[in-house]
Amino acid sequence: MRALVRVAQTIVIGAVVFTAAPVSAAQASPPSIPPPSASCFRFPYFGPKGHANFDFGRDVVRLLDERGVKVEGIAPIEAKPGNKGIYMPIGWKQDHIDPCNGVYYPGGFILNDVKSGHKIAIHDIYLRVDGTHAQVEIDGQPQGEQLVATYKLLEFAWNVPTPRPLEGGIGPKYWPFYTSAYLSKTVKDLTGISLNEGDYLANLDAVVQYLP
């Protein structure tokens, strides 16, 4: 248990220290593009394996359903049925920590507005102190790296060391994410959905596993 607590402390400290460095933007296109090249050396991810559920809030799911927007995954991230959110495997095999850019997650998801034909792709994701940054493409046209969601450190930091004995690891069950100004404007412009800056977007429930 002490070892798991130390790991949890490392996760919190790492999330703050490694994500506070300058940003180096990179270009990529979904779904099968190699991850952006890091300008710094890479550290291994926090653990060998695990998974994360990014579950959209009820209001977000309702708005997507009413508009007819379909959430689609970009591997290794998968879309959940019914626009409920996304699922992602985590661990050393696909994720890493970049001292210059933050904690990196490959893949992403697409908001496919069937009615208008517009598609917003969010992929190659970095977690930093101020929130979630990602490469964005609109109808196949790269928009560069954008801040797509924010969070409040004090809301999740204490939840990071939550023991998950039945899952063989540790990780937060409660980590709320909020809509960024960029995501709000982009979604409104392309779909008409009123997803305002600061609105509750989703909860991240993640566990890093150390035992079989």
Side-chain angles (χ1 to χ4, degrees):
M1 181 60 68
R2 289 181 179 177
L4 291 180
V5 171
R6 285 197 296 270
V7 169
Q9 292 172 340
T10 301
I11 291 175
V12 175
I13 294 171
V16 174
V17 174
F18 295 133
T19 61
V23 176
S24 176
Q27 296 295 327
S29 297
S32 57
I33 292 294
S37 59
S39 58
C40 292
F41 57 92
R42 298 177 177 183
F43 290 111
Y45 189 67
F46 301 115
K49 60 180 181 177
H51 61 269
N53 290 289
F54 191 73
D55 295 317
F56 295 134
R58 291 182 180 178
D59 288 343
V60 174
V61 175
R62 176 180 57 80
L63 290 169
L64 294 174
D65 288 345
E66 288 177 352
R67 171 67 184 185
V69 173
K70 292 185 178 180
V71 180
E72 303 170 356
I74 301 174
I77 293 175
E78 302 173 8
K80 291 189 170 186
N83 287 339
K84 299 297 184 182
I86 57 175
Y87 168 86
M88 56 191 292
I90 56 178
W92 291 338
K93 289 185 178 181
Q94 61 270 339
D95 312 317
H96 68 263
I97 301 169
D98 180 340
C100 288
N101 292 307
V103 183
Y104 172 72
Y105 299 90
F109 64 96
I110 295 171
L111 298 177
N112 181 2
D113 184 25
V114 178
K115 183 178 294 187
S116 68
H118 290 305
K119 291 185 178 181
I120 306 169
I122 298 172
H123 59 96
D124 291 304
I125 300 165
Y126 282 99
L127 294 188
R128 302 195 183 107
V129 170
D130 60 336
T132 304
H133 296 251
Q135 294 293 316
V136 176
E137 292 188 10
I138 297 176
D139 299 334
Q141 298 301 311
Q143 307 298 306
E145 184 181 277
Q146 304 291 340
L147 176 66
V148 295
T150 61
Y151 39 73
K152 302 170 185 177
L153 189 62
L154 292 179
E155 282 190 330
F156 77 85
W158 300 110
N159 295 307
V160 169
T162 302
R164 310 288 285 270
L166 296 179
E167 297 168 273
I170 195 168
K173 290 186 176 181
Y174 178 68
W175 183 339
F177 284 64
Y178 302 95
T179 305
S180 71
Y182 174 82
L183 185 63
S184 172
K185 183 179 186 305
T186 301
V187 170
K188 282 182 181 179
D189 289 347
L190 296 180
T191 70
I193 292 177
S194 294
L195 190 60
N196 300 313
E197 179 184 3
D199 281 354
Y200 176 72
L201 178 64
N203 179 66
L204 180 67
D205 178 349
V207 58
V208 179
Q209 297 173 306
Y210 299 94
L211 300 175

